[in-house]
Amino acid sequence: MTNIWGLIDDRTGHTGQVLGVITRLGIPYALKRLEYNRLAALPSFLIGNSLLALDKGRSAPLDGPFPSLLIAAGRRTLPVLRHIKKQSPSTRTIYLMRPESMAGIDLAVVPEHDGVAPASNVITSLAPLHAVTPDTLAAARKAWAPQFAHLPRPFITLCMGGNTKRGQYAPAEWRDVVNRAILLAGHGSLLVTTSRRTPADAMALITPLLQLPHVLHRWDTDKDNPYLGMLACADGIVVTGDSLSMCAEACVSGAPVFIYASPHVAPMKHQLLHQTLYDRGLAHPLNNTARLDWRPAHALDDVGHVVAEIRTRFAALF
C-alpha cells in the first residue's frame, strides 16, 4: 500500500519541493495532481478544510484509503491537506512552506529567512527545498558531459532568472551579470540557461555579448532542458539572486557559486538568504573582486537534513 501522498499542482517550484522530500524518504508514494477552479484565488482560510476550490473532474482522486503521511507545498494545497486530515486524523501532514496558520498541519518546514518563531511543530531549512540532489546531479553529469566535451574549460554556468513583483532589472544590469560571468570564464566557456521570468529584451541585450564558446538554452524551446547538466558540469556557477530556488539548487553542486543580487529586484527575504549563504561559505557575491576559487566548495543538503528530521519525528511510519 502506498504510504505517502504528495500534493502537486502547476507551480513548478512547489512541486519540486514535494518531490525533493518525498523521493528521499525511500518508501512508496503517489503524487496527487490538483487542478483548481476560480475559488482557488481566495485565501485558503476562507476555503477551510474543503475541496471547494478543486476542479474534481481534472484532479487526481482523493478518496480513501488515506495515506500514513501527506506532503504539500503552496497556498492552494492547504484546504486539500486540511480536508484529508479531517477525513483521516491519523494521517501525518507536512507542509513545506510558511503556512498562514498551522491548522491541520502536524509539521511545517520553513526557510530561515521567513522568520517563523521556533515551535515544536516547526523545523527550519536554510533555503527553500527543491528536487536537486547529489544523485540527480550525478545522473545529469553522465548524460550531459559528452555534449559539452567540445568546449574549453573552465565551464561557468550562468542561471538567469528575471524580474519580480519588487522591480525589474535595468538593461545595464543584464549586461553586467553576463560580462562578470565572462570574466570568470576567462579562456573557458559559458553554459547559459534562462527561466520563465527572463524577459525577451534581456535576451536581445545579452546575446551579442556571447563571443566566447558557449551553450545558450532558452526555457521556452522544445529542446531537452540542460539545466541540471549545466549545474553538474560547472566549474563555477553564476546565478541571479531573484530566484531563491535557483540559488539553493546551485549550492548543491559543490562548485563555487556567485550570486548577482540587484537591490531593485530582490526583496528583503531574498537578501537575507543571500547573506546567510555568504556567511556559511556556500556562495559569494558576484562583485568586482570576484575570483574563481578552485577549491571544492561545501555543498548544501537542506533536503537531507529535513528528511532525517521527518524520519526521527515520525519514526513509527518508517
Side-chain angles (χ1 to χ4, degrees):
M1 186 181 82
T2 299
N3 290 311
I4 311 178
W5 286 1
L7 302 183
I8 61 172
D9 56 23
D10 61 346
R11 301 293 173 87
T12 303
H14 299 162
T15 296
Q17 294 190 50
V18 172
L19 283 171
V21 172
I22 208 169
T23 57
R24 293 276 292 269
L25 285 170
I27 59 176
Y29 66 87
L31 298 177
K32 297 289 187 175
R33 174 83 180 195
L34 306 180
E35 301 287 348
Y36 305 104
N37 58 38
R38 294 181 180 180
L39 293 179
L42 296 173
S44 63
F45 71 86
L46 292 178
I47 304 170
N49 54 17
S50 76
L51 304 181
L52 290 175
L54 280 191
D55 182 332
K56 295 181 182 178
R58 296 192 299 140
S59 296
L62 298 172
D63 302 321
F66 294 105
S68 303
L69 187 65
L70 179 71
I71 301 177
R75 172 189 60 80
R76 296 178 300 172
T77 67
L78 278 172
V80 181
L81 176 150
R82 290 170 176 145
H83 169 81
I84 293 171
K85 183 68 172 178
K86 181 180 179 181
Q87 305 304 310
S88 175
S90 64
T91 295
R92 299 294 138 205
T93 56
I94 300 175
Y95 185 69
L96 302 179
M97 297 172 65
R98 179 178 183 170
E100 59 192 20
S101 83
M102 290 297 294
I105 299 172
D106 291 309
L107 180 67
V109 182
V110 184
E112 289 181 11
H113 56 261
D114 277 343
V116 172
S120 61
N121 57 353
V122 175
I123 60 175
T124 57
S125 60
L126 191 152
L129 302 180
H130 50 78
V132 178
T133 70
D135 288 343
T136 61
L137 290 181
R141 186 178 300 110
K142 183 177 180 180
W144 286 96
Q147 301 188 54
F148 303 146
H150 65 288
L151 298 169
R153 299 194 86 108
F155 295 162
I156 300 299
T157 292
L158 172 57
C159 301
M160 295 178 57
N163 301 325
T164 67
K165 293 178 180 179
R166 176 182 173 88
Q168 299 182 350
Y169 285 100
E173 290 178 311
W174 287 119
R175 289 190 289 264
D176 190 32
V177 66
V178 175
N179 284 328
R180 290 176 191 267
I182 290 171
L183 286 175
L184 284 180
H187 297 292
S189 307
L190 278 189
L191 308 178
V192 185
T193 180
T194 68
S195 72
R196 184 183 299 272
R197 288 186 293 103
T198 307
D201 56 352
M203 300 308 304
L205 287 169
I206 71 166
T207 301
L209 302 177
L210 300 176
Q211 299 299 311
L212 74 171
H214 68 276
V215 173
L216 172 60
H217 174 75
R218 298 173 183 261
W219 74 270
D220 55 351
T221 68
D222 293 330
K223 297 179 180 178
D224 289 342
N225 190 341
Y227 173 65
L228 289 179
M230 289 180 171
L231 291 183
C233 296
D235 297 303
I237 299 172
V238 172
V239 57
T240 57
D242 52 88
S243 171
L244 298 183
S245 294
M246 285 200 309
C247 291
E249 290 163 355
C251 289
V252 178
S253 69
V257 174
F258 298 88
I259 298 174
Y260 186 85
S262 168
H264 307 111
V265 178
M268 181 56 66
K269 74 172 185 177
H270 288 55
Q271 297 174 44
L272 290 173
L273 174 62
H274 301 160
Q275 191 60 52
T276 299
L277 294 174
Y278 303 153
D279 292 344
R280 300 192 188 185
L282 292 161
H284 314 278
L286 183 66
N287 53 34
N288 290 328
T289 63
R291 296 290 185 274
L292 194 61
D293 186 342
W294 296 104
R295 294 173 297 177
H298 173 59
L300 176 65
D301 189 16
D302 252 355
V303 177
H305 158 69
V306 168
V307 166
E309 188 70 24
I310 291 172
R311 285 181 166 276
T312 298
R313 289 176 180 246
F314 303 127
L317 303 181
F318 301 96

